[in-house]
C-alpha cells in the first residue's frame, strides 16, 4: 500500500510539472453563445475562475460561464488545487506544515508528506472517502527576502515572513499588480514571536538596556564589565543577513542607533545553530527568536528607571515586550483556490491557535487578564508618580479599571506616526471578528489610551484619549456585521499614568504610547 501511494504521488507530481509546462500556452475562453471570446496565456485556474494574461492585461474569468479551448485547459472534474508557500525556513519547517495538517484533519483529508530536496516540502491532500487528490501544497524553505522575490516572480502564492514588508517590496508588488500588501486582506499576522538577547546559563548578567544592546552591535561596548559582568570580551552571535529575525535587529536596534554592525560578529544560518553556539560560549551574547532561545538564559530588557521586561507569552501577545517580531503571511490581490481560501480562514480559528501554541510560538487568541495577574505594572506606576501624575490621578485610573479585565489585544503605533503598527492592525481585525461573532455582547469595553511622559500631563491625557477614540473607530468600521447595540463601547485617555517602560529611550516611549481594551 505504501509503495502504491508513493507511486500515485510521483505520478501526480509528474502531471503537475506537465501542467505547469503547458500553462504558458494559449487558451481561448468563449461564452456559450459564441459572442464573447478571450484569448491569452493561462496564468492559473483555482477550480472556479481562470486567470488569463491578455493583450488588455490580466483578466479573471468565471469558469462556469465560458468554454475553454487549448492545450492548457484544465480538467474541470478532477481539479487539484496547487498552492506554493515561500519564505522563512523557521515558519516553513514546523509551523505552516503543522497548520496544514490540522486543517486537513478537520476536513477529513489524508496528508502525504514528501521532501524532493532539502529546501522543499510537498504536502499532498487526499480525499480518501472519494479516492481523489484535492491539493498539492509546496513549501519552499528559504528566507523572507526570497519569499518576496518568488511572489513578485509569480513563483509563489503566499509569503512566509518574519518581518513586515519593506517599502520597496510594497512598491514593487503594487507595480506588479499584486495589490497593496499592507492591506489587512493582503498581509496578516499568523503568530507572535520576539527578538531576545540570550547568554549561557552561567553568565552572571541578567538584564540589559536596548541602548546598550545597540552599543554592542555597533562596537561601542565590547566588554562584559560594562554590563556588570566579568572582565572579558563579548562575542556577538547573530543570524545571517537574509534571515527575517536579523532584519528585526536592524529595524529595532541598529537603525535607531544610527550605526553599522561591528566587525567580528559570528553569523549563523539558523536559530538552532545560533542557540547552540551561545550555550557553549561563556562570553557569548546572541540575538535570537524568543521561540528558539532553548536552554540559554534570556536577558530582561531594562532602563534607567528600573523597569524590566521579559519576553513571556503575555508580554509578546500584548506587545508590551518592545522587541516583538510577528510572523506574517502575505497574499497577493488575486483569488486563491478555494482550498487555499479555506486554509487562510482556518489560520484564524481557535484550533489553529492551539497548533501555534504547540509549536512553541505565541498565538493571537484574545485573553482577559485580571489586574492581579498583570505583574508589576501598577507598582511601577506608583513608583513613577510625581508632580505631573499624582496619587489622585492614579486612584482615578485604578477605580476606573479595577472591576475590569484587560484584553490581550493591545494597539500601538509605528514610530513617529499615527498609523497602527502591523500587529495592531491585525488586532483590529481580530477584535472586529470577535464583535461580529457576538463574543462580547452585553459587555462593556473601554478603550484606554496611554502616552509617554514627554510633555505636560494634560496634553498627554488629551493625546491618549484621541488615540483611544481613533482605535475604537477603526474597530467599529472593521466590524461591519456586528450588532453594536448589544454592547457598550467607550474611549478614555489616562495619559502617562501607567508606563510600561522607561521614557529615556525611543523604544521605551514607543512602548508607552498605546491603547488597551478593558472589559467589564
Amino acid at each position: 500500500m505504501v509503495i502504491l501511494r508513493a507511486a500515485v504521488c510521483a505520478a501526480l507530481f509528474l502531471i503537475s510539472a506537465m501542467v505547469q509546462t503547458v500553462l504558458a500556452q494559449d487558451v481561448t475562453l468563449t461564452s456559450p453563445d459564441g459572442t464573447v471570446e478571450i484569448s491569452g496565456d493561462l496564468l492559473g485556474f483555482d477550480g472556479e475562475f481562470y486567470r488569463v494574461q491578455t493583450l488588455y492585461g490580466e483578466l479573471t474569468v468565471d469558469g462556469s460561464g465560458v468554454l475553454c479551448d487549448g492545450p492548457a485547459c484544465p480538467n474541470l472534474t478532477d481539479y487539484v488545487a496547487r498552492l506554493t508557500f515561500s519564505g522563512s525556513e523557521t515558519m516553513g519547517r514546523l509551523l505552516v506544515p503543522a497548520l496544514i495538517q490540522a486543517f486537513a484533519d478537520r476536513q477529513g483529508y489524508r496528508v502525504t508528506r514528501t521532501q524532493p530536496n532539502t529546501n522543499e516540502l510537498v504536502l499532498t491532500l487526499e480525499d480518501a472517502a472519494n479516492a481523489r487528490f484535492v491539493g498539492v501544497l509546496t513549501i519552499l524553505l528559504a528566507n523572507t527576502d526570497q519569499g518576496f522575490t518568488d511572489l513578485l516572480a509569480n513563483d509563489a502564492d503566499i509569503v512566509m515572513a518574519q518581518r513586515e514588508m519593506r517599502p520597496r517590496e510594497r512598491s514593487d508588488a503594487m507595480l506588479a499588480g499584486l495589490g497593496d500588501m499592507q492591506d489587512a486582506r493582503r498581509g496578516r499576522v499568523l503568530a507572535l514571536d520576539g527578538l531576545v538577547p540570550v547568554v549561557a546559563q552561567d553568565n552572571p548578567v541578567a538584564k540589559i538596556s536596548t541602548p546598550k544592546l545597540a552599543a554592542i552591535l555597533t562596537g561601542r561596548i565590547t566588554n562584559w564589565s560594562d554590563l556588570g559582568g566579568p572582565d572579558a570580551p563579548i562575542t556577538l552571535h547573530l543570524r545571517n543577513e537574509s534571515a527575517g529575525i536579523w532584519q528585526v535587529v536592524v529595524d529595532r536596534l541598529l537603525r535607531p542607533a544610527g550605526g553599522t554592525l561591528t566587525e567580528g560578529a559570528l553569523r549563523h544560518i539558523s536559530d538552532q545553530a545560533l542557540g547552540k553556539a551561545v550555550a557553549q560560549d561563556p562570553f557569548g551574547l546572541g540575538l535570537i527568536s524568543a521561540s528558539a532561545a532553548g536552554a540559554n538564559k534570556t536577558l530582561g530588557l531594562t532602563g534607567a528607571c528600573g523597569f524590566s521586561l521579559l519576553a513571556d507569552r503575555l508580554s509578546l501577545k500584548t506587545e508590551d515586550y518592545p522587541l516583538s517580531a510577528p510572523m506574517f503571511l502575505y497574499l497577493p490581490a488575486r483569488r486563491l483556490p478555494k482550498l487555499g481560501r479555506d486554509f487562510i480562514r482556518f489560520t484564524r480559528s481557535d484550533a489553529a491557535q492551539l497548533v501555534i501554541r504547540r509549536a512553541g510560538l505565541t498565538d493571537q487568541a484574545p485573553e482577559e487578564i485580571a489586574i492581579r495577574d498583570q505583574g508589576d505594572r501598577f507598582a511601577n506606576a506608583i513608583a513613577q508618580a510625581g508632580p505631573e501624575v499624582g496619587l489622585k490621578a492614579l486612584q482615578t485610573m485604578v477605580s476606573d479599571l479595577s472591576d475590569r479585565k484587560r484584553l490581550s489585544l493591545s494597539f500601538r503605533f509605528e514610530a513617529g506616526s499615527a498609523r497602527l503598527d502591523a500587529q495592531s492592525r491585525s488586532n483590529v481585525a481580530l477584535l472586529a471578528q470577535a464583535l461580529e461573532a457576538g463574543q462580547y455582547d452585553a459587555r462593556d469595553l473601554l478603550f484606554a489610551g496611554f502616552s509617554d511622559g514627554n510633555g505636560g500631563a494634560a496634553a498627554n491625557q488629551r493625546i491618549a484619549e484621541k488615540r483611544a477614540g481613533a482605535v475604537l473607530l477603526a474597530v467599529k468600521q472593521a466590524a461591519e456585521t456586528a450588532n453594536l447595540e448589544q454592547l457598550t463601547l467607550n474611549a478614555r485617555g489616562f495619559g502617562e499614568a501607567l508606563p510600561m517602560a522607561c521614557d529615556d529611550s525611543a523604544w521605551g516611549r514607543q512602548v508607552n504610547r498605546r491603547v488597551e481594551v478593558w472589559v467589564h
Side-chain angles (χ1 to χ4, degrees):
M1 182 66 180
V2 174
I3 296 174
L4 177 59
R5 183 170 304 281
V8 172
C9 289
L12 181 63
F13 299 145
L14 178 59
I15 293 170
S16 174
M18 293 170 62
V19 169
Q20 295 299 321
T21 300
V22 299
L23 280 181
Q25 300 183 36
D26 291 343
V27 297
T28 299
L29 305 178
T30 309
S31 62
D33 60 7
T35 58
V36 178
E37 185 176 283
I38 299 171
S39 296
D41 292 336
L42 183 63
L43 300 177
F45 177 70
D46 65 6
E48 300 170 295
F49 286 77
Y50 297 97
R51 190 161 53 89
V52 183
Q53 183 66 49
T54 73
L55 292 174
Y56 310 102
E58 185 177 313
L59 299 179
T60 301
V61 182
D62 187 345
S64 65
V66 295
L67 303 174
C68 183
D69 182 46
C73 291
N75 185 326
L76 301 184
T77 58
D78 294 324
Y79 170 72
V80 178
R82 289 172 177 80
L83 204 63
T84 299
F85 298 77
S86 180
S88 163
E89 182 178 9
T90 300
M91 297 172 65
R93 283 209 181 276
L94 176 61
L95 178 58
V96 172
L99 287 168
I100 292 172
Q101 180 68 61
F103 166 73
D105 290 344
R106 290 178 69 88
Q107 298 295 321
Y109 299 148
R110 180 185 292 123
V111 178
T112 301
R113 175 170 172 163
T114 58
Q115 188 163 0
N117 56 67
T118 56
N119 298 316
E120 182 178 349
L121 297 175
V122 178
L123 286 79
T124 305
L125 276 56
E126 180 188 3
D127 182 352
N130 297 307
R132 70 182 187 91
F133 292 97
V134 296
V136 177
L137 281 61
T138 301
I139 302 174
L140 304 179
L141 305 170
N143 53 63
T144 299
D145 287 354
Q146 186 61 47
F148 286 122
T149 299
D150 288 344
L151 183 70
L152 291 171
N154 208 32
D155 292 331
D157 303 294
I158 299 175
V159 178
M160 305 173 293
Q162 282 188 275
R163 61 166 173 82
E164 194 169 2
M165 195 175 209
R166 297 271 186 261
R168 176 61 182 273
E169 292 163 339
R170 181 187 179 196
S171 175
D172 289 345
M174 290 281 285
L175 291 174
L178 302 181
D180 183 358
M181 303 299 281
Q182 282 193 332
D183 186 286
R185 294 166 296 179
R186 308 275 75 81
R188 58 181 64 200
V189 176
L190 180 64
L192 305 173
D193 206 348
L195 175 72
V196 295
V198 293
V199 296
Q201 281 292 343
D202 57 356
N203 190 309
V205 174
K207 55 188 178 181
I208 189 172
S209 69
T210 53
K212 287 187 175 181
L213 266 180
I216 293 170
L217 287 167
T218 57
R220 296 194 297 272
I221 291 179
T222 60
N223 197 290
W224 281 106
S225 60
D226 293 322
L227 306 176
D231 181 12
I234 298 171
T235 305
L236 191 56
H237 295 267
L238 304 169
R239 282 297 311 275
N240 48 312
E241 291 187 4
S242 60
I245 200 67
W246 162 247
Q247 288 151 357
V248 175
V249 175
V250 173
D251 291 345
R252 303 293 183 89
L253 294 171
L254 267 180
R255 188 171 292 136
T260 57
L261 182 64
T262 184
E263 295 182 3
L266 302 179
R267 309 303 287 259
H268 301 273
I269 62 171
S270 69
D271 282 349
Q272 291 72 23
L274 192 158
K276 184 177 180 180
V278 170
Q280 297 173 349
D281 184 351
F283 303 122
L285 171 68
L287 288 171
I288 194 171
S289 300
S291 59
N296 290 299
K297 182 167 74 174
T298 300
L299 302 185
L301 296 182
T302 188
C305 64
F307 289 12
S308 184
L309 294 168
L310 285 169
D312 57 29
R313 186 179 61 84
L314 281 179
S315 69
L316 290 173
K317 183 175 281 195
T318 58
E319 212 179 349
D320 291 346
Y321 183 74
L323 299 181
S324 59
M327 292 179 165
F328 298 88
L329 290 182
Y330 281 96
L331 302 84
R334 61 172 181 250
R335 284 176 59 92
L336 294 177
K338 183 177 184 302
L339 182 77
R341 301 197 302 271
D342 290 344
F343 171 72
I344 293 299
R345 281 193 292 272
F346 170 77
T347 62
R348 286 275 174 88
S349 69
D350 291 341
Q353 304 312 305
L354 178 60
V355 173
I356 290 167
R357 290 195 293 272
R358 286 176 175 172
L361 297 163
T362 299
D363 66 278
Q364 297 182 90
E367 296 182 37
E368 298 181 15
I369 313 165
I371 282 184
R372 64 178 178 272
D373 297 325
Q374 296 189 46
D376 297 328
R377 285 183 1 124
F378 286 86
N380 288 336
I382 294 171
Q384 293 298 309
E388 290 287 338
V389 180
L391 182 60
K392 184 176 180 180
L394 294 178
Q395 287 174 332
T396 299
M397 178 186 68
V398 172
S399 175
D400 288 343
L401 302 180
S402 60
D403 61 344
R404 298 174 180 267
K405 293 182 179 181
R406 180 192 178 189
L407 273 191
S408 58
L409 301 178
S410 299
F411 304 88
R412 286 185 167 82
F413 303 85
E414 294 178 348
S417 171
R419 175 182 168 83
L420 289 171
D421 65 20
Q423 184 171 329
S424 299
R425 295 195 298 272
S426 179
N427 287 345
V428 167
L430 288 170
L431 183 53
Q433 179 181 311
L435 295 182
E436 290 177 332
Q439 187 173 334
Y440 297 104
D441 283 359
R443 302 190 70 182
D444 183 335
L445 274 66
L446 175 64
F447 287 71
F450 298 93
S451 72
D452 60 39
N454 282 0
N460 285 337
Q461 191 275 334
R462 290 192 296 271
I463 292 171
E465 187 156 328
K466 184 177 180 180
R467 287 178 178 145
V471 173
L472 171 56
L473 179 60
V475 171
K476 281 183 174 181
Q477 291 175 339
E480 296 178 353
T481 64
N483 184 357
L484 298 181
E485 295 181 358
Q486 295 296 316
L487 68 161
T488 302
L489 300 171
N490 288 299
R492 195 171 306 160
F494 295 99
E496 58 198 79
L498 191 56
M500 293 299 310
C502 307
D503 277 327
D504 60 349
S505 65
W507 71 267
R509 292 188 292 273
Q510 186 173 353
V511 167
N512 288 334
R513 296 190 292 266
R514 68 197 186 278
V515 174
E516 301 176 356
V517 181
W518 289 73
V519 185
H520 177 67

